[in-house]
Amino acid sequence: MNHLSARERRLFDRDWLFSRSDSAEMAQTAYDDSGWRKLNLPHDWSIEGDFHVSHPSGSVGGALPGGTGWYRKHFKLNDTDEQSRYFIDFDGVYMNSTVYLNGHRIGFRPYGYIGFQYDLTPYIRKNGDNVIAVRVDNSTQPNCRWYSGSGIYRHVYLLRTPQQLYINHWGVYVRSHADGDRYAVKINVKLTNAEKKAKKVVVRNTILDREGRLVTGTSSTVRIHETAETEQTLRIRNPHLWSVASPYTYRVKTEILAGGKVIDTQITRTGIRSFEFSPTEGFSLNGVRMKINGVCLHHDLGCLGSALHEDALYRQLKMLKDMGCNAIRTAHNPPAPELLHMCDTMGLMVMDEAFDAWLQGKTRNDYASLFDEWAERDLTDMVLRDRNHPSIIMWSIGNEVHEQWNTRKNDTVSLAQVNILLNMPRDASALSDKDADRNVYALLTRRLADIVRKADDTRPITAGCNETSPKNNLFQSGALDIIGFNYHHRWIKDVPKNFPGKPFLMTESVSALQTRGFYMMPSDSVYTAPHRFKRPYVNPTFMCSSYDNMHTSWSSTHEATWDVIKHTPYCSGQFIWTGWDYIGEPTPYAFPARSSYFGIIDLAGFPKDIYYMYQSEWTDKPVLHLFPHWNWLEGSTVDLWCYYNHADEVELFVNGKSQGIRAKKDSHQYHVAWRVPFEAGEVCVVARKGNQEVGRKTIRTAGPPHNIRLTSDRSTLQADGKSLAFVTVEVVDKDGNLCPMADHQIHFT
């Protein structure tokens, strides 16, 4: 790095060395790492391992290996400036990371989902060779109820500031509110002066539109000894408002000037919008009422593991947005910063969530072991890092925490039984009869909410709760701005009575079980699995039905939940469990199952049939989706379903013969169906509006597999070593019809 007049933050991902071994000597500069593997970050070593029943993560954690690994990076600086300072930013390391620079221990951070920064200045050689070493310990498992991955699985950045006086890490805070026909934009800037000699500087903030044109600006003078904070207010008349349909963003340019020269600069993306959660009218954005049509999303990217790939993450969000999804819940931890950047620019609202456990754990080595020492810092850092994102509309301080009840930690419960235990009905003895001022868990809830509000007071706070009684300790605290239910959609009707004056949201819903392309008939029978606590569900297929007719014992079908939410004005919306399948938590099965069945989209990125039900309800796109396939045994009776919109009726034909016209009776019906005998050939559904055909969908019986069809989602790739193309592989017959029963193992070179 050469001498610069302003800060430089550069990606620090390339040319790391990695070893799956462990020795204290690996922290030392002179350690011989010549035999180590060379790689670029982000990196997840767990996904490179084999699935095995003996791995301590269990099938709930993906049945993949954890362990301990080391990363080392050699780098050289060419900087003769005595005033410059160096920092390193890690967006996420899973987990228990210890960082060393030139043999000196810089810091330790156990929570694998939070980003952190270290000051390298005391030990860095500005004009010479340096070695940074990172020990990552993910050996104490299980520590999650899903697949976590292992390693430096998010980006790393090296930051240089040219002066001893600089803008703090996450030190710029931007928020706005309506002020008549204008919006007031408040900007707080925190500064540090490492010289510790009083200095007078100018803080200048300017707002730029999307094209980089100046909108408005202001400046003020501040005298700083060690630390200082300034607050400025700018006003914009008739701004472009950020919305789901038009996610307009501005940039705030913060400059620090000394002696007329810029000594530090930071750019912050922001958006201007207003929103409201009403206890009677539900949710509105910029004064427009709408449902939050959201999904929960774990952080892994299927076969890519947890290592961040921007193209893969964008693909996930784009497919959800195309379905009509307008919100993401980061389940159940702080996400990669890139997810929030994408939500800002794509128009997806976010519930940003901190923890899956507080003091009382769900697995032997989960966040409960860290909570006492780290919760305040981790929660604060999440809010400080994320609070400028216009996409974030609420904070969640926890998910299904045991502190809802007056119960102790359940160490003896197996991972496979945790979800059932969490959602079992409890009698009154498990609920508190103390008032909130004497209820230790209510006081803890208040404490966590206060931590959030200290860092950001512009967004409401909620928590995902699966105890719906007002005596739930979290609800009793009075600290939650939004009552959030996980499941229990039948109790939504009692919310106004039980929680008068409180806005309401389904923080987690549905948990239906589906395997793409597998169908259990009769389709009008509903199957639950697992049936009850400590009673495993066994089915030799290891599949779940892709009709909307199978769900867990604590949940419901997609259609049943959506029907309640759609027709309940005070319900702000929902976050469906889940948008995509994810590695781990293979409910209702045990090993060799090792990934979930909950997703609307499967692990490879193919929509399940229910995707089109939501698309028909949540978008204006024309939808006509007939399923299942048309390859069955002669003599079979087959249930055919159809999701549709923008039509009055649909008619089914089997080999040209009508099987009858179907139409939805009312706004509570979401599909139509026929039960017909199988005849090889073709089935066709025709949609009509006002007696005019508006759509047609045909499915043909496929012949024997004949060839493989490859289809790429793009024709060109950037030659940057990071860009991805997703190639769909289909086994088809000689006429190009997809063979739905083909199960050939296909090898790629």
Side-chain angles (χ1 to χ4, degrees), residues 9 11 37 59 114 148 262 278 351 368 384 435 449 478-479 501 522 531 568 618 648 694-695 729:
R9 187 172 186 254
L11 197 60
R37 173 184 167 194
S59 59
I114 198 70
S148 65
V262 176
S278 163
M351 178 202 293
L384 292 178
D435 65 65
H531 303 298
T568 305
W618 289 357
D648 301 323
V694 293
V729 182

Side-chain angles (χ1 to χ4, degrees), residues 34 56-57 73 102 118 157 163 244 341 361 372 413 460 472 478 497 534 542 602 639 653 666 681 685:
S34 58
S57 63
K73 180 177 172 66
N102 297 326
Y118 295 132
Y157 296 88
Q163 297 286 333
V244 170
H341 295 316
D372 272 338
V413 178
N472 177 331
K497 176 183 70 177
K534 294 188 177 181
F542 279 88
D602 76 6
D639 289 353
F653 297 88
D666 52 34
V685 67

Side-chain angles (χ1 to χ4, degrees), residues 569-603:
Y570 55 80
C571 179
S572 294
Q574 67 175 331
F575 289 92
I576 297 163
W577 193 264
T578 56
W580 279 60
D581 279 341
Y582 52 94
I583 304 174
E585 204 171 25
T587 306
Y589 298 109
F591 192 86
R594 50 189 183 259
S595 65
S596 76
Y597 297 82
F598 294 119
I600 296 170
I601 301 168
D602 76 6
L603 207 62

Side-chain angles (χ1 to χ4, degrees), residues 338-572:
E338 287 74 15
L339 180 136
L340 300 175
H341 295 316
M342 290 180 193
C343 290
D344 288 344
T345 55
M346 295 173 72
L348 288 161
M349 300 176 286
V350 175
M351 178 202 293
D352 203 357
E353 189 157 76
F355 309 122
D356 187 47
W358 292 353
L359 288 165
Q360 298 185 42
K362 300 172 185 176
T363 68
R364 283 193 303 277
N365 305 294
D366 65 12
Y367 193 79
S369 62
L370 307 175
F371 187 88
D372 272 338
E373 183 178 354
W374 287 97
E376 180 169 1
R377 184 170 179 189
D378 288 338
L379 182 56
T380 299
D381 283 358
M382 182 188 86
V383 179
L384 292 178
R385 185 195 71 168
D386 296 348
R387 60 188 177 178
N388 292 320
H389 289 280
S391 55
I392 296 175
I393 57 168
M394 68 186 103
W395 306 108
S396 170
I397 56 175
N399 172 68
E400 297 180 354
V401 296
H402 281 300
E403 285 79 1
Q404 296 172 88
W405 304 281
N406 299 326
T407 54
R408 297 308 305 162
K409 195 170 174 179
N410 292 279
D411 283 332
T412 59
V413 178
S414 74
L415 272 171
Q417 297 163 354
V418 165
N419 274 338
I420 304 173
L421 173 72
L422 284 168
N423 290 284
M424 284 174 61
R426 285 163 165 82
D427 61 35
S429 65
L431 296 168
S432 181
D433 57 0
K434 297 179 180 178
D435 65 65
D437 292 330
R438 296 185 298 119
N439 178 331
V440 64
Y441 295 142
L443 293 172
L444 176 59
T445 307
R446 289 181 184 175
R447 172 68 183 134
L448 294 173
D450 287 345
I451 291 168
V452 173
R453 292 189 179 103
K454 183 179 178 182
D456 175 64
D457 61 359
T458 69
R459 297 171 178 89
I461 297 169
T462 190
C465 292
N466 45 352
E467 173 56 71
T468 61
S469 167
K471 290 190 174 183
N472 177 331
N473 292 322
L474 275 63
F475 295 154
Q476 282 211 35
S477 74
L480 301 181
D481 302 301
I482 301 169
I483 298 299
F485 281 7
N486 284 12
Y487 311 108
H488 304 289
H489 67 288
R490 291 183 179 86
W491 297 108
I492 291 177
K493 61 180 172 39
D494 295 328
V495 166
K497 176 183 70 177
N498 290 335
F499 305 97
K502 281 282 192 179
F504 172 74
L505 175 74
M506 287 293 284
T507 39
E508 186 172 317
S509 64
V510 181
S511 270
L513 301 165
Q514 297 180 335
T515 300
R516 180 175 56 87
F518 179 78
Y519 303 92
M520 291 169 61
M521 301 183 211
S523 64
D524 50 5
S525 294
V526 176
Y527 308 88
T528 59
H531 303 298
R532 60 187 67 182
F533 191 50
K534 294 188 177 181
R535 186 72 60 86
Y537 177 76
V538 178
N539 185 317
T541 67
F542 279 88
M543 295 187 186
C544 298
S545 178
S546 198
Y547 295 116
D548 186 23
N549 68 338
M550 190 171 185
H551 61 81
T552 63
S553 57
W554 61 84
S555 62
S556 61
T557 63
H558 288 276
E559 291 186 12
T561 302
W562 171 236
D563 189 58
V564 174
I565 290 166
K566 177 182 179 180
H567 293 98
T568 305
Y570 55 80
C571 179
S572 294

Side-chain angles (χ1 to χ4, degrees), residues 218 318 388 649:
T218 190
K318 176 71 164 57
N388 292 320
E649 63 183 33

